[in-house]
Amino acid sequence: NTPFYDKGITGKGEVIGVSDSGLDTDNCYVWDATGDIRKNGVVDETRRKIIQYDDYIDDQDDPSGHGTHVVGTIVGHRAVDGRAESDGLANGIARDAKVAFIDCGAGGDSLYIPADTGRYLGIGTPAGAKIHSSSWGSDLIPPKYDSLSRDTDAYLYNDWNFLQIVAAGNSGTGNREKSIGSPAVAKNVLTVGASQNPTNKGIGYLADFSSRGPTSDGRISPDVVAPGQSILSMNAVPSEVGECDPDSEPLSFSSGIGSSEGVLYLQGTSMATPAVSGAAALVRQYFKDGFFPTGESIDPSGMLLKAVLISGAQQLSLIDNGFTSTPTAFYDNNQGFGRVSLIDSLPLEGANLINASYADRAIIRDGETIDFEVNITHAGGCKENDFRATLVWADPPGASGCVKCLVNDLDLTVTNNGDGKVYYPNGRRNKDSINNVERIIADASDGDTMLITIEAAN
């Protein structure tokens, strides 16, 4: 069931930047019939998949390397001859998108990220990259908002077009709180935890290893989760050219590691993050190509992408702790706003009955209030009483080590004019002065009028 693909929303026209350990560029899922890409940072937009390779550290991946698997999940699309594409065992989420890659790997688990944030987040921007996928981070004990998080927030605050999507980390075993590292604790990134998938206990379960919030200043984290356990994607085989699908799908987590097979299973929030990055590319294409019901074509901001992915996220019910399971719910330290689900996030003709509207790049000044009225109608077959309003903004960077890191405090409320009930964000009974993401889920019946109020409190 692939309703977005059926509409032609496959990531076409999108470029995603990736910083990681390295990339095996001759795997059949990214191979190009014209030969290997020049690994000198030069952009070549004519290539099938990899349009830029910045050899910041070196120009290769380890056998069964991390970066190759990550890239495959975002954009992989099998082409045995490097030209004619066909569906394989491990298609990427945005199978028609392209990647700009910066190699930060020095072998093994070692990554050396440039001190200049723009050095790696700027990868692919000459070719229009507006999304960057980062399946890495530090494991500070205790975790804190450090200079890397500060600089990341500064970059995203100064470029509203951009969104960085970051892995939460794999230190959550035993329901360990405050185990998310940097830059995943930055305010303006989209932080991704890992859920299970149908080959495990099911999509309603959180993976036990997924790092948990809150951040050191109490913000909700991770923002969202996505399947990150038992994920099949590209396998790096540096000694081979054209490695591709085996005769049958690998059966186990370890199958393919160290072999000549072109795909393998890995797990971690590193595997969930590229799935969300691919989904973000689909959302960008959706808005750019005029799939919103108004037909309007826009270049969406990074914060609109973040808002869409958060707004429609679905609730997990349990954490798989091995022999036991622990309950989890929206806004807790485990799943944040829930599991990404595009079909629950955007109206798609013939595929769902969502009514939606959006406001992007809005300006609000200190002390001002902006109101939006939404009239609820079940005309056209919509029967749901679930009304959602989501507010996301790029916040200026906090100080390194900040105790309260939010700078600009906006407040979201929803009032049902039918019964007069006022709803507050993030499961709270009052205003939120900590987070720069606020979501309200309210009850609304046919004929109700919902008043959305955004106040610039400070």
Side-chain angles (χ1 to χ4, degrees), residues 119-165:
R119 177 72 170 81
Y120 67 91
L121 289 183
I123 191 77
T125 54
K130 303 292 179 63
I131 300 165
H132 191 94
S133 189
S134 300
S135 287
W136 50 264
S138 67
D139 191 16
L140 298 172
I141 304 295
K144 65 178 181 178
Y145 186 94
D146 62 0
S147 59
L148 176 57
S149 295
R150 177 200 63 203
D151 294 347
T152 299
D153 277 340
Y155 188 96
L156 298 174
Y157 176 72
N158 290 316
D159 188 352
W160 288 10
N161 297 308
F162 204 79
L163 179 62
Q164 184 182 8
I165 301 173

mmCIF file of all heavy atoms in Angstrom, residues 119-165:
data_model
loop_
_atom_site.group_PDB
_atom_site.id
_atom_site.type_symbol
_atom_site.label_atom_id
_atom_site.label_comp_id
_atom_site.label_asym_id
_atom_site.label_seq_id
_atom_site.Cartn_x
_atom_site.Cartn_y
_atom_site.Cartn_z
ATOM 1 N N ARG A 119 30.238 23.586 7.173
ATOM 2 C CA ARG A 119 31.082 22.732 6.329
ATOM 3 C C ARG A 119 30.375 21.445 5.952
ATOM 4 O O ARG A 119 30.553 20.924 4.847
ATOM 5 C CB ARG A 119 32.392 22.431 7.075
ATOM 6 C CG ARG A 119 33.349 21.481 6.359
ATOM 7 C CD ARG A 119 34.011 22.154 5.159
ATOM 8 N NE ARG A 119 35.081 21.324 4.621
ATOM 9 C CZ ARG A 119 34.891 20.290 3.804
ATOM 10 N NH1 ARG A 119 33.654 19.977 3.451
ATOM 11 N NH2 ARG A 119 35.906 19.594 3.348
ATOM 12 N N TYR A 120 29.591 20.896 6.902
ATOM 13 C CA TYR A 120 28.880 19.658 6.564
ATOM 14 C C TYR A 120 27.409 19.880 6.251
ATOM 15 O O TYR A 120 26.856 19.217 5.377
ATOM 16 C CB TYR A 120 29.065 18.589 7.645
ATOM 17 C CG TYR A 120 28.432 18.865 8.986
ATOM 18 C CD1 TYR A 120 27.148 18.436 9.263
ATOM 19 C CD2 TYR A 120 29.132 19.527 9.989
ATOM 20 C CE1 TYR A 120 26.571 18.668 10.498
ATOM 21 C CE2 TYR A 120 28.570 19.759 11.230
ATOM 22 C CZ TYR A 120 27.282 19.341 11.477
ATOM 23 O OH TYR A 120 26.707 19.573 12.700
ATOM 24 N N LEU A 121 26.749 20.822 6.930
ATOM 25 C CA LEU A 121 25.344 21.072 6.608
ATOM 26 C C LEU A 121 25.193 21.732 5.237
ATOM 27 O O LEU A 121 24.133 21.659 4.618
ATOM 28 C CB LEU A 121 24.695 21.945 7.684
ATOM 29 C CG LEU A 121 24.466 21.278 9.041
ATOM 30 C CD1 LEU A 121 23.760 22.232 9.997
ATOM 31 C CD2 LEU A 121 23.663 19.995 8.905
ATOM 32 N N GLY A 122 26.266 22.353 4.761
ATOM 33 C CA GLY A 122 26.215 22.986 3.446
ATOM 34 C C GLY A 122 26.394 22.027 2.293
ATOM 35 O O GLY A 122 26.253 22.429 1.128
ATOM 36 N N ILE A 123 26.662 20.738 2.580
ATOM 37 C CA ILE A 123 26.858 19.774 1.503
ATOM 38 C C ILE A 123 25.574 19.675 0.670
ATOM 39 O O ILE A 123 24.474 19.545 1.195
ATOM 40 C CB ILE A 123 27.263 18.383 2.061
ATOM 41 C CG1 ILE A 123 27.735 17.454 0.943
ATOM 42 C CG2 ILE A 123 26.141 17.740 2.845
ATOM 43 C CD1 ILE A 123 29.116 17.773 0.489
ATOM 44 N N GLY A 124 25.714 19.792 -0.626
ATOM 45 C CA GLY A 124 24.572 19.674 -1.528
ATOM 46 C C GLY A 124 23.754 20.931 -1.722
ATOM 47 O O GLY A 124 22.878 20.963 -2.587
ATOM 48 N N THR A 125 23.998 21.966 -0.934
ATOM 49 C CA THR A 125 23.160 23.166 -1.065
ATOM 50 C C THR A 125 23.279 23.833 -2.434
ATOM 51 O O THR A 125 22.288 24.403 -2.911
ATOM 52 C CB THR A 125 23.456 24.174 0.062
ATOM 53 O OG1 THR A 125 24.872 24.460 0.098
ATOM 54 C CG2 THR A 125 23.028 23.617 1.411
ATOM 55 N N PRO A 126 24.448 23.783 -3.124
ATOM 56 C CA PRO A 126 24.469 24.343 -4.483
ATOM 57 C C PRO A 126 23.505 23.639 -5.433
ATOM 58 O O PRO A 126 23.090 24.216 -6.443
ATOM 59 C CB PRO A 126 25.924 24.142 -4.921
ATOM 60 C CG PRO A 126 26.706 24.077 -3.655
ATOM 61 C CD PRO A 126 25.800 23.366 -2.688
ATOM 62 N N ALA A 127 23.164 22.385 -5.121
ATOM 63 C CA ALA A 127 22.231 21.619 -5.951
ATOM 64 C C ALA A 127 20.810 21.648 -5.391
ATOM 65 O O ALA A 127 19.939 20.924 -5.871
ATOM 66 C CB ALA A 127 22.706 20.174 -6.074
ATOM 67 N N GLY A 128 20.586 22.462 -4.353
ATOM 68 C CA GLY A 128 19.235 22.614 -3.819
ATOM 69 C C GLY A 128 18.895 21.745 -2.635
ATOM 70 O O GLY A 128 17.725 21.611 -2.282
ATOM 71 N N ALA A 129 19.903 21.151 -1.968
ATOM 72 C CA ALA A 129 19.613 20.328 -0.793
ATOM 73 C C ALA A 129 19.056 21.191 0.329
ATOM 74 O O ALA A 129 19.686 22.177 0.725
ATOM 75 C CB ALA A 129 20.868 19.610 -0.330
ATOM 76 N N LYS A 130 17.905 20.816 0.864
ATOM 77 C CA LYS A 130 17.261 21.543 1.964
ATOM 78 C C LYS A 130 17.055 20.641 3.182
ATOM 79 O O LYS A 130 16.493 21.076 4.180
ATOM 80 C CB LYS A 130 15.905 22.100 1.501
ATOM 81 C CG LYS A 130 15.992 23.017 0.282
ATOM 82 C CD LYS A 130 16.699 24.317 0.594
ATOM 83 C CE LYS A 130 16.804 25.202 -0.638
ATOM 84 N NZ LYS A 130 15.489 25.623 -1.171
ATOM 85 N N ILE A 131 17.499 19.389 3.083
ATOM 86 C CA ILE A 131 17.381 18.407 4.160
ATOM 87 C C ILE A 131 18.750 17.794 4.380
ATOM 88 O O ILE A 131 19.455 17.467 3.412
ATOM 89 C CB ILE A 131 16.372 17.298 3.796
ATOM 90 C CG1 ILE A 131 14.976 17.889 3.552
ATOM 91 C CG2 ILE A 131 16.319 16.227 4.880
ATOM 92 C CD1 ILE A 131 14.031 16.919 2.854
ATOM 93 N N HIS A 132 19.143 17.628 5.638
ATOM 94 C CA HIS A 132 20.397 16.940 5.951
ATOM 95 C C HIS A 132 20.120 15.845 6.966
ATOM 96 O O HIS A 132 19.478 16.081 7.992
ATOM 97 C CB HIS A 132 21.439 17.904 6.509
ATOM 98 C CG HIS A 132 22.809 17.297 6.602
ATOM 99 N ND1 HIS A 132 23.749 17.434 5.604
ATOM 100 C CD2 HIS A 132 23.383 16.513 7.553
ATOM 101 C CE1 HIS A 132 24.852 16.780 5.937
ATOM 102 N NE2 HIS A 132 24.651 16.202 7.118
ATOM 103 N N SER A 133 20.623 14.659 6.682
ATOM 104 C CA SER A 133 20.398 13.492 7.535
ATOM 105 C C SER A 133 21.678 13.169 8.293
ATOM 106 O O SER A 133 22.730 12.947 7.694
ATOM 107 C CB SER A 133 19.972 12.299 6.680
ATOM 108 O OG SER A 133 19.552 11.219 7.477
ATOM 109 N N SER A 134 21.584 13.137 9.632
ATOM 110 C CA SER A 134 22.750 12.916 10.499
ATOM 111 C C SER A 134 22.484 11.747 11.438
ATOM 112 O O SER A 134 21.821 11.907 12.464
ATOM 113 C CB SER A 134 23.057 14.175 11.318
ATOM 114 O OG SER A 134 23.344 15.274 10.482
ATOM 115 N N SER A 135 22.991 10.590 11.077
ATOM 116 C CA SER A 135 22.833 9.400 11.918
ATOM 117 C C SER A 135 24.060 9.234 12.811
ATOM 118 O O SER A 135 24.760 8.217 12.777
ATOM 119 C CB SER A 135 22.606 8.159 11.056
ATOM 120 O OG SER A 135 21.316 8.159 10.500
ATOM 121 N N TRP A 136 24.332 10.249 13.615
ATOM 122 C CA TRP A 136 25.494 10.247 14.499
ATOM 123 C C TRP A 136 25.256 11.264 15.608
ATOM 124 O O TRP A 136 24.331 12.068 15.544
ATOM 125 C CB TRP A 136 26.784 10.590 13.741
ATOM 126 C CG TRP A 136 26.682 11.832 12.906
ATOM 127 C CD1 TRP A 136 26.392 11.916 11.573
ATOM 128 C CD2 TRP A 136 26.853 13.193 13.344
ATOM 129 N NE1 TRP A 136 26.375 13.227 11.159
ATOM 130 C CE2 TRP A 136 26.655 14.038 12.223
ATOM 131 C CE3 TRP A 136 27.163 13.779 14.570
ATOM 132 C CZ2 TRP A 136 26.753 15.423 12.302
ATOM 133 C CZ3 TRP A 136 27.242 15.171 14.652
ATOM 134 C CH2 TRP A 136 27.039 15.978 13.522
ATOM 135 N N GLY A 137 26.112 11.232 16.606
ATOM 136 C CA GLY A 137 26.035 12.201 17.691
ATOM 137 C C GLY A 137 26.923 11.784 18.844
ATOM 138 O O GLY A 137 27.416 10.650 18.907
ATOM 139 N N SER A 138 27.135 12.713 19.748
ATOM 140 C CA SER A 138 27.937 12.424 20.928
ATOM 141 C C SER A 138 27.071 11.780 22.003
ATOM 142 O O SER A 138 25.850 11.891 21.977
ATOM 143 C CB SER A 138 28.548 13.711 21.482
ATOM 144 O OG SER A 138 27.527 14.561 21.988
ATOM 145 N N ASP A 139 27.704 11.116 22.932
ATOM 146 C CA ASP A 139 26.998 10.480 24.048
ATOM 147 C C ASP A 139 27.508 11.097 25.346
ATOM 148 O O ASP A 139 28.198 10.459 26.139
ATOM 149 C CB ASP A 139 27.239 8.971 24.030
ATOM 150 C CG ASP A 139 26.328 8.232 25.004
ATOM 151 O OD1 ASP A 139 25.339 8.843 25.447
ATOM 152 O OD2 ASP A 139 26.617 7.066 25.312
ATOM 153 N N LEU A 140 27.176 12.368 25.531
ATOM 154 C CA LEU A 140 27.642 13.087 26.716
ATOM 155 C C LEU A 140 26.989 12.539 27.980
ATOM 156 O O LEU A 140 25.791 12.248 27.990
ATOM 157 C CB LEU A 140 27.320 14.579 26.587
ATOM 158 C CG LEU A 140 27.981 15.324 25.426
ATOM 159 C CD1 LEU A 140 27.414 16.726 25.325
ATOM 160 C CD2 LEU A 140 29.486 15.373 25.609
ATOM 161 N N ILE A 141 27.747 12.403 29.027
ATOM 162 C CA ILE A 141 27.225 11.949 30.317
ATOM 163 C C ILE A 141 27.560 13.000 31.373
ATOM 164 O O ILE A 141 28.734 13.201 31.693
ATOM 165 C CB ILE A 141 27.827 10.594 30.730
ATOM 166 C CG1 ILE A 141 27.569 9.557 29.631
ATOM 167 C CG2 ILE A 141 27.233 10.131 32.058
ATOM 168 C CD1 ILE A 141 26.123 9.222 29.400
ATOM 169 N N PRO A 142 26.587 13.708 31.940
ATOM 170 C CA PRO A 142 25.189 13.690 31.509
ATOM 171 C C PRO A 142 25.013 14.498 30.228
ATOM 172 O O PRO A 142 25.829 15.383 29.942
ATOM 173 C CB PRO A 142 24.464 14.361 32.683
ATOM 174 C CG PRO A 142 25.484 15.312 33.226
ATOM 175 C CD PRO A 142 26.817 14.631 33.072
ATOM 176 N N PRO A 143 23.971 14.208 29.439
ATOM 177 C CA PRO A 143 23.760 14.940 28.192
ATOM 178 C C PRO A 143 23.437 16.402 28.472
ATOM 179 O O PRO A 143 22.817 16.736 29.479
ATOM 180 C CB PRO A 143 22.567 14.217 27.563
ATOM 181 C CG PRO A 143 21.862 13.577 28.699
ATOM 182 C CD PRO A 143 22.918 13.211 29.691
ATOM 183 N N LYS A 144 23.879 17.268 27.592
ATOM 184 C CA LYS A 144 23.602 18.690 27.782
ATOM 185 C C LYS A 144 23.574 19.400 26.438
ATOM 186 O O LYS A 144 24.027 18.869 25.422
ATOM 187 C CB LYS A 144 24.658 19.323 28.686
ATOM 188 C CG LYS A 144 26.057 19.345 28.110
ATOM 189 C CD LYS A 144 27.047 20.042 29.039
ATOM 190 C CE LYS A 144 28.456 20.085 28.439
ATOM 191 N NZ LYS A 144 29.399 20.803 29.315
ATOM 192 N N TYR A 145 23.035 20.600 26.477
ATOM 193 C CA TYR A 145 23.027 21.486 25.318
ATOM 194 C C TYR A 145 24.412 22.116 25.239
ATOM 195 O O TYR A 145 24.762 22.991 26.022
ATOM 196 C CB TYR A 145 21.935 22.543 25.512
ATOM 197 C CG TYR A 145 21.681 23.459 24.349
ATOM 198 C CD1 TYR A 145 20.685 23.168 23.425
ATOM 199 C CD2 TYR A 145 22.399 24.636 24.195
ATOM 200 C CE1 TYR A 145 20.418 24.032 22.362
ATOM 201 C CE2 TYR A 145 22.143 25.501 23.149
ATOM 202 C CZ TYR A 145 21.152 25.194 22.237
ATOM 203 O OH TYR A 145 20.885 26.062 21.193
ATOM 204 N N ASP A 146 25.233 21.639 24.282
ATOM 205 C CA ASP A 146 26.625 22.055 24.219
ATOM 206 C C ASP A 146 26.862 22.989 23.038
ATOM 207 O O ASP A 146 25.923 23.446 22.379
ATOM 208 C CB ASP A 146 27.537 20.833 24.153
ATOM 209 C CG ASP A 146 27.290 19.985 22.904
ATOM 210 O OD1 ASP A 146 26.419 20.343 22.081
ATOM 211 O OD2 ASP A 146 27.984 18.954 22.746
ATOM 212 N N SER A 147 28.108 23.262 22.742
ATOM 213 C CA SER A 147 28.434 24.190 21.660
ATOM 214 C C SER A 147 28.000 23.645 20.302
ATOM 215 O O SER A 147 27.635 24.414 19.404
ATOM 216 C CB SER A 147 29.930 24.496 21.664
ATOM 217 O OG SER A 147 30.695 23.315 21.505
ATOM 218 N N LEU A 148 28.036 22.312 20.115
ATOM 219 C CA LEU A 148 27.570 21.733 18.855
ATOM 220 C C LEU A 148 26.077 21.966 18.675
ATOM 221 O O LEU A 148 25.619 22.347 17.584
ATOM 222 C CB LEU A 148 27.896 20.239 18.811
ATOM 223 C CG LEU A 148 27.387 19.471 17.595
ATOM 224 C CD1 LEU A 148 27.900 20.072 16.298
ATOM 225 C CD2 LEU A 148 27.782 17.988 17.689
ATOM 226 N N SER A 149 25.287 21.738 19.735
ATOM 227 C CA SER A 149 23.845 22.005 19.651
ATOM 228 C C SER A 149 23.581 23.486 19.403
ATOM 229 O O SER A 149 22.712 23.858 18.613
ATOM 230 C CB SER A 149 23.162 21.552 20.935
ATOM 231 O OG SER A 149 23.240 20.161 21.093
ATOM 232 N N ARG A 150 24.331 24.333 20.101
ATOM 233 C CA ARG A 150 24.175 25.787 19.915
ATOM 234 C C ARG A 150 24.450 26.191 18.474
ATOM 235 O O ARG A 150 23.663 26.931 17.853
ATOM 236 C CB ARG A 150 25.139 26.514 20.852
ATOM 237 C CG ARG A 150 25.153 28.034 20.723
ATOM 238 C CD ARG A 150 26.432 28.589 21.301
ATOM 239 N NE ARG A 150 27.612 28.133 20.571
ATOM 240 C CZ ARG A 150 28.844 28.088 21.062
ATOM 241 N NH1 ARG A 150 29.073 28.451 22.319
ATOM 242 N NH2 ARG A 150 29.847 27.676 20.318
ATOM 243 N N ASP A 151 25.550 25.709 17.911
ATOM 244 C CA ASP A 151 25.912 26.083 16.542
ATOM 245 C C ASP A 151 24.922 25.509 15.531
ATOM 246 O O ASP A 151 24.639 26.133 14.496
ATOM 247 C CB ASP A 151 27.324 25.595 16.229
ATOM 248 C CG ASP A 151 28.392 26.308 17.061
ATOM 249 O OD1 ASP A 151 28.058 27.343 17.690
ATOM 250 O OD2 ASP A 151 29.539 25.819 17.093
ATOM 251 N N THR A 152 24.408 24.315 15.812
ATOM 252 C CA THR A 152 23.394 23.721 14.947
ATOM 253 C C THR A 152 22.133 24.578 14.939
ATOM 254 O O THR A 152 21.564 24.866 13.877
ATOM 255 C CB THR A 152 23.070 22.294 15.422
ATOM 256 O OG1 THR A 152 24.255 21.492 15.354
ATOM 257 C CG2 THR A 152 21.983 21.670 14.577
ATOM 258 N N ASP A 153 21.678 24.992 16.121
ATOM 259 C CA ASP A 153 20.493 25.853 16.196
ATOM 260 C C ASP A 153 20.719 27.178 15.479
ATOM 261 O O ASP A 153 19.805 27.708 14.833
ATOM 262 C CB ASP A 153 20.114 26.100 17.655
ATOM 263 C CG ASP A 153 19.279 24.965 18.240
ATOM 264 O OD1 ASP A 153 18.692 24.204 17.460
ATOM 265 O OD2 ASP A 153 19.214 24.858 19.478
ATOM 266 N N ALA A 154 21.923 27.716 15.596
ATOM 267 C CA ALA A 154 22.223 28.980 14.922
ATOM 268 C C ALA A 154 22.114 28.820 13.410
ATOM 269 O O ALA A 154 21.549 29.680 12.709
ATOM 270 C CB ALA A 154 23.618 29.465 15.310
ATOM 271 N N TYR A 155 22.642 27.726 12.875
ATOM 272 C CA TYR A 155 22.585 27.483 11.430
ATOM 273 C C TYR A 155 21.134 27.392 10.956
ATOM 274 O O TYR A 155 20.749 28.015 9.950
ATOM 275 C CB TYR A 155 23.338 26.203 11.084
ATOM 276 C CG TYR A 155 23.496 25.957 9.597
ATOM 277 C CD1 TYR A 155 24.656 26.342 8.943
ATOM 278 C CD2 TYR A 155 22.485 25.344 8.868
ATOM 279 C CE1 TYR A 155 24.809 26.117 7.583
ATOM 280 C CE2 TYR A 155 22.624 25.125 7.510
ATOM 281 C CZ TYR A 155 23.783 25.508 6.868
ATOM 282 O OH TYR A 155 23.907 25.294 5.516
ATOM 283 N N LEU A 156 20.324 26.625 11.676
ATOM 284 C CA LEU A 156 18.935 26.424 11.259
ATOM 285 C C LEU A 156 18.087 27.667 11.496
ATOM 286 O O LEU A 156 17.142 27.931 10.744
ATOM 287 C CB LEU A 156 18.352 25.217 11.993
ATOM 288 C CG LEU A 156 19.049 23.878 11.694
ATOM 289 C CD1 LEU A 156 18.500 22.777 12.575
ATOM 290 C CD2 LEU A 156 18.903 23.509 10.226
ATOM 291 N N TYR A 157 18.405 28.437 12.527
ATOM 292 C CA TYR A 157 17.684 29.686 12.764
ATOM 293 C C TYR A 157 17.950 30.692 11.648
ATOM 294 O O TYR A 157 17.063 31.457 11.259
ATOM 295 C CB TYR A 157 18.092 30.276 14.112
ATOM 296 C CG TYR A 157 17.465 31.627 14.404
ATOM 297 C CD1 TYR A 157 16.106 31.729 14.712
ATOM 298 C CD2 TYR A 157 18.230 32.786 14.358
ATOM 299 C CE1 TYR A 157 15.525 32.960 14.969
ATOM 300 C CE2 TYR A 157 17.652 34.018 14.617
ATOM 301 C CZ TYR A 157 16.304 34.103 14.922
ATOM 302 O OH TYR A 157 15.726 35.323 15.169
ATOM 303 N N ASN A 158 19.156 30.660 11.107
ATOM 304 C CA ASN A 158 19.532 31.607 10.056
ATOM 305 C C ASN A 158 19.171 31.138 8.659
ATOM 306 O O ASN A 158 19.342 31.894 7.692
ATOM 307 C CB ASN A 158 21.037 31.903 10.132
ATOM 308 C CG ASN A 158 21.402 32.731 11.353
ATOM 309 O OD1 ASN A 158 20.707 33.698 11.673
ATOM 310 N ND2 ASN A 158 22.465 32.353 12.041
ATOM 311 N N ASP A 159 18.687 29.910 8.524
ATOM 312 C CA ASP A 159 18.255 29.395 7.225
ATOM 313 C C ASP A 159 16.937 28.657 7.392
ATOM 314 O O ASP A 159 16.905 27.455 7.650
ATOM 315 C CB ASP A 159 19.319 28.463 6.632
ATOM 316 C CG ASP A 159 18.997 28.052 5.196
ATOM 317 O OD1 ASP A 159 17.883 28.365 4.711
ATOM 318 O OD2 ASP A 159 19.850 27.401 4.557
ATOM 319 N N TRP A 160 15.850 29.374 7.267
ATOM 320 C CA TRP A 160 14.522 28.780 7.471
ATOM 321 C C TRP A 160 14.173 27.736 6.424
ATOM 322 O O TRP A 160 13.221 26.981 6.591
ATOM 323 C CB TRP A 160 13.456 29.871 7.474
ATOM 324 C CG TRP A 160 13.457 30.736 8.694
ATOM 325 C CD1 TRP A 160 14.401 30.781 9.681
ATOM 326 C CD2 TRP A 160 12.459 31.682 9.058
ATOM 327 N NE1 TRP A 160 14.053 31.697 10.643
ATOM 328 C CE2 TRP A 160 12.863 32.280 10.285
ATOM 329 C CE3 TRP A 160 11.276 32.104 8.481
ATOM 330 C CZ2 TRP A 160 12.114 33.256 10.931
ATOM 331 C CZ3 TRP A 160 10.524 33.085 9.117
ATOM 332 C CH2 TRP A 160 10.935 33.648 10.324
ATOM 333 N N ASN A 161 14.925 27.718 5.330
ATOM 334 C CA ASN A 161 14.635 26.740 4.283
ATOM 335 C C ASN A 161 15.064 25.334 4.670
ATOM 336 O O ASN A 161 14.660 24.368 4.030
ATOM 337 C CB ASN A 161 15.377 27.122 2.988
ATOM 338 C CG ASN A 161 14.926 28.436 2.414
ATOM 339 O OD1 ASN A 161 13.735 28.644 2.223
ATOM 340 N ND2 ASN A 161 15.856 29.326 2.135
ATOM 341 N N PHE A 162 15.868 25.211 5.714
ATOM 342 C CA PHE A 162 16.650 24.005 5.951
ATOM 343 C C PHE A 162 16.128 23.211 7.141
ATOM 344 O O PHE A 162 15.610 23.779 8.100
ATOM 345 C CB PHE A 162 18.107 24.406 6.208
ATOM 346 C CG PHE A 162 19.109 23.331 5.922
ATOM 347 C CD1 PHE A 162 19.513 23.063 4.629
ATOM 348 C CD2 PHE A 162 19.649 22.575 6.951
ATOM 349 C CE1 PHE A 162 20.446 22.066 4.363
ATOM 350 C CE2 PHE A 162 20.575 21.582 6.700
ATOM 351 C CZ PHE A 162 20.977 21.328 5.400
ATOM 352 N N LEU A 163 16.276 21.876 7.073
ATOM 353 C CA LEU A 163 15.946 21.004 8.195
ATOM 354 C C LEU A 163 17.018 19.938 8.336
ATOM 355 O O LEU A 163 17.347 19.235 7.379
ATOM 356 C CB LEU A 163 14.587 20.329 7.991
ATOM 357 C CG LEU A 163 14.151 19.363 9.104
ATOM 358 C CD1 LEU A 163 13.996 20.091 10.436
ATOM 359 C CD2 LEU A 163 12.856 18.639 8.739
ATOM 360 N N GLN A 164 17.562 19.820 9.541
ATOM 361 C CA GLN A 164 18.481 18.730 9.859
ATOM 362 C C GLN A 164 17.742 17.687 10.676
ATOM 363 O O GLN A 164 17.056 18.005 11.650
ATOM 364 C CB GLN A 164 19.699 19.234 10.646
ATOM 365 C CG GLN A 164 20.730 18.148 10.920
ATOM 366 C CD GLN A 164 21.910 18.645 11.734
ATOM 367 O OE1 GLN A 164 21.908 19.770 12.227
ATOM 368 N NE2 GLN A 164 22.927 17.810 11.883
ATOM 369 N N ILE A 165 17.881 16.431 10.275
ATOM 370 C CA ILE A 165 17.203 15.317 10.925
ATOM 371 C C ILE A 165 18.283 14.456 11.573
ATOM 372 O O ILE A 165 19.228 14.024 10.908
ATOM 373 C CB ILE A 165 16.359 14.533 9.914
ATOM 374 C CG1 ILE A 165 15.324 15.482 9.283
ATOM 375 C CG2 ILE A 165 15.671 13.353 10.571
ATOM 376 C CD1 ILE A 165 14.530 14.885 8.149
#
